Amino acid sequence: MLLTDYLTQILIYTLVSYPIIGGLSLIVSSLYYWLLMEKADQPRYLKKETPFITILVPAHNEEASIQATIDHLATQMNYPTDRYEIIVVNDGSTDRTGIILEELQAKYGQRLRTLTIINNRGKAAGFNSALGFAKGEFILSNDADSKPEVDALWKYMYYFEREGGAQLGAVTGNMLSINKTTLVAEAQQNELNSIIGLIKRSQLSYGGLFAFSGANTMYRKAAVIDVGGWQAEQPTEDIAISWDMQTAGWQAYFAPHIRFFMDVPETLPELVKQRRRWTSGGIYVLLTKSFSILRHPIKHFSMVPIIIDYGLSIIWSLFYWMSMVTFVVLQMGYLINHDWHRLLSNLSFSGIFITIEILVGLIQLVQASYFNDGGRSLKYIAFAPWYILIYWMVNTYTVAVEIVPTIRQIIRGKDAGVWKSPKRSTELTGKPEGKDSNE
């Protein structure tokens, strides 16, 4: 066999085997978590006091969503209204957000307060400013396009109240989408159900979390203060504070039984834009925080697998594109030279591995759907095969295009936290699907 044949097969094995092996590991570890931890740890009604909660809502040009979100938080939550408050951080909005908030304040009185920041500083900086005004012992980060289920507040509090909860720094919920208006939005049901949920379950099987969900996470205020608040220079404050808390000794938890509904990108360009920011945030945290953790690997044992896994995924993503170019050049050479045997053999070999990858993804979807809602979300299975492939392509693309700019940001010390709100869907003005927690 020629050297080029060996090279081609090595490239194929490397390109395709990583997501297959990774997918199988998620299936096994998340099943372990579900069987031994999750089933025995469902939220129960509070037995002790009802802690006071401050809900922080970041808002930068959110005129399309802010009223529906605040109305939901103020009127639909199954929690005593005198035991929580809402603070909206109006961060340099130039649309009607400020006017809408004035109307909402007149409607809800002291239950709603607004902190206005003239210049856009970003979500983390706004939250740090609002932290000093927060009356609550616990802080719920709730994006302007997110609506938690009606029982979310007391469910969150259960995890802090239960035995061993004194060292719990934050609990993050299970995200689902509000909008299903386009093919791209519909297809993301597979990701939210099969990929993100399984990843968090898998990570908790050995005790750590890569990231909280910035859209809806309950923090212990003391833990936030202990780590110095949210880091304004980070592209994604939720990943950074997750690492900070766990490194400082606070526990992190993913509660799949707490659901919240968020607006997801409706077009492929918007999806790629969102994932580029997520990727930049992940790379930023990995390069700025992992070395201090690895100096004490035993002390921070739960974070070591997360660092290794994410580091390998970045390396693989870069290798993917270099290998793909090499593979395409080799196949074009076979085509030009009319070497049909090698051409068809390599393409057939690739097809087999891609089919296996899709099958692993389908197993993930079925498993996670059963974990999350007893299989009701399997109605989205028709979108799964092509979305699984596009998901990997988008993720590897975002790594390739963001790694150099992110490294430059770190070297220059540039503030990466300033934000621009994404396009919002028309679904935001309605009620969230599954508003009844017993559904």
Side-chain angles (χ1 to χ4, degrees):
M1 185 179 289
L2 296 176
L3 178 61
T4 53
D5 294 331
Y6 281 115
L7 178 60
T8 301
Q9 291 192 13
I10 290 173
L11 293 175
I12 294 173
Y13 277 119
T14 303
L15 291 175
V16 187
S17 61
Y18 177 84
I20 292 174
I21 295 173
L24 291 173
S25 67
L26 288 178
I27 290 170
V28 174
S29 55
S30 63
L31 180 62
Y32 167 82
Y33 170 79
W34 182 76
L35 288 173
L36 300 183
M37 303 178 187
E38 180 178 335
K39 292 183 68 176
D41 194 26
Q42 298 193 25
R44 299 171 180 86
Y45 281 106
L46 299 178
K47 297 180 180 179
K48 302 178 183 178
E49 61 182 12
T50 306
F52 195 87
I53 298 170
T54 296
I55 303 177
L56 293 185
V57 181
H60 174 66
N61 293 338
E62 296 286 3
E63 63 181 5
S65 63
I66 193 65
Q67 180 164 345
T69 298
I70 298 303
D71 284 340
H72 176 81
L73 293 173
T75 64
Q76 299 299 314
M77 306 309 297
N78 185 14
Y79 202 80
T81 56
D82 62 343
R83 299 304 297 162
Y84 74 96
E85 64 174 352
I86 305 168
I87 298 179
V88 179
V89 181
N90 184 13
D91 185 19
S93 296
T94 56
D95 62 357
R96 296 186 66 255
T97 298
I99 298 174
I100 296 172
L101 287 173
E102 289 179 2
E103 297 172 353
L104 289 170
Q105 280 189 289
K107 180 178 180 180
Y108 294 114
Q110 293 299 314
R111 293 185 58 209
L112 172 65
R113 290 185 287 162
T114 300
L115 175 63
T116 301
I117 299 175
I118 302 301
N119 297 318
N120 179 7
R121 295 288 311 282
K123 181 177 177 180
F127 272 13
N128 288 334
S129 298
L131 193 61
F133 298 94
K135 300 176 183 177
E137 179 185 355
F138 296 91
I139 307 292
L140 177 67
S141 167
N142 191 100
D143 279 358
D145 65 338
S146 299
K147 298 177 182 178
E149 63 168 309
V150 296
D151 288 334
L153 295 183
W154 70 257
K155 284 183 176 181
Y156 274 127
M157 289 299 98
Y158 158 76
Y159 290 103
F160 292 97
E161 180 192 66
R162 66 178 180 173
E163 184 178 355
Q167 281 302 114
L168 185 59
V171 180
T172 191
N174 194 5
M175 64 179 75
L176 298 171
S177 75
I178 291 178
N179 52 320
K180 305 176 182 67
T181 51
T182 67
L183 187 63
V184 172
E186 288 272 12
Q188 286 172 78
Q189 300 300 313
N190 295 303
E191 179 184 2
L192 298 180
N193 279 315
S194 68
I195 299 175
I196 294 179
L198 286 191
I199 287 174
K200 291 186 182 297
R201 287 179 171 93
S202 174
Q203 290 170 353
L204 274 187
S205 68
Y206 47 81
L209 279 181
F210 175 77
F212 302 139
S213 170
N216 204 263
T217 292
M218 185 71 74
Y219 297 93
R220 186 187 298 275
K221 184 179 180 180
V224 175
I225 295 173
D226 182 54
V227 299
W230 291 270
Q231 294 193 10
E233 78 279 4
Q234 295 276 353
T236 49
E237 86 297 332
D238 46 0
I239 303 177
I241 198 170
S242 171
W243 286 47
D244 288 343
M245 281 192 176
Q246 292 172 91
T247 303
W250 294 97
Q251 296 174 359
Y253 197 74
F254 167 60
H257 303 291
I258 302 176
R259 301 182 299 172
F260 66 92
F261 301 85
M262 56 182 287
D263 196 49
V264 299
E266 295 186 312
T267 65
L268 189 57
E270 285 294 317
L271 177 65
V272 171
K273 180 181 177 181
Q274 179 196 66
R275 300 314 158 89
R276 288 185 64 173
R277 184 176 65 83
W278 289 4
T279 298
S280 177
I283 295 172
Y284 203 112
V285 168
L286 183 72
L287 295 179
T288 56
K289 298 183 181 295
S290 59
F291 299 107
S292 61
I293 294 173
L294 293 175
R295 281 200 295 265
H296 306 283
I298 297 177
K299 180 181 179 181
H300 305 302
F301 175 76
S302 63
M303 294 298 293
V304 172
I306 293 174
I307 292 173
I308 293 174
D309 177 64
Y310 193 67
L312 288 176
S313 70
I314 291 175
I315 294 172
W316 178 83
S317 297
L318 298 175
F319 182 71
Y320 173 89
W321 288 105
M322 292 186 292
S323 302
M324 181 61 71
V325 171
T326 304
F327 177 76
V328 170
V329 171
L330 289 173
Q331 299 310 105
M332 290 180 63
Y334 295 145
L335 182 63
I336 293 172
N337 295 324
H338 303 290
D339 193 342
W340 309 117
H341 174 72
R342 290 194 179 94
L343 177 66
L344 295 176
S345 175
N346 290 331
L347 291 177
S348 299
F349 202 57
S350 301
I352 291 172
F353 273 90
I354 291 173
T355 301
I356 296 174
E357 181 182 330
I358 292 176
L359 289 175
V360 171
L362 290 175
I363 294 172
Q364 286 183 350
L365 174 62
V366 173
Q367 180 181 355
S369 178
Y370 180 75
F371 289 169
N372 283 344
D373 56 23
R376 290 194 297 273
S377 56
L378 285 177
K379 61 186 178 181
Y380 300 107
I381 199 168
F383 299 99
W386 70 269
Y387 187 76
I388 290 169
L389 295 178
I390 291 179
Y391 171 82
W392 285 106
M393 294 292 289
V394 169
N395 278 10
T396 56
Y397 167 77
T398 58
V399 170
V401 298
E402 287 296 328
I403 188 165
V404 172
T406 302
I407 292 174
R408 287 177 178 171
Q409 283 181 333
I410 295 173
I411 294 174
R412 296 173 180 174
K414 184 179 179 181
D415 188 348
V418 176
W419 60 335
K420 180 180 179 181
S421 295
K423 294 180 180 179
R424 302 304 190 190
S425 73
T426 56
E427 297 291 316
L428 290 173
T429 56
K431 295 181 179 180
E433 182 180 298
K435 56 184 180 300
D436 184 351
S437 63
N438 295 319
E439 286 183 357

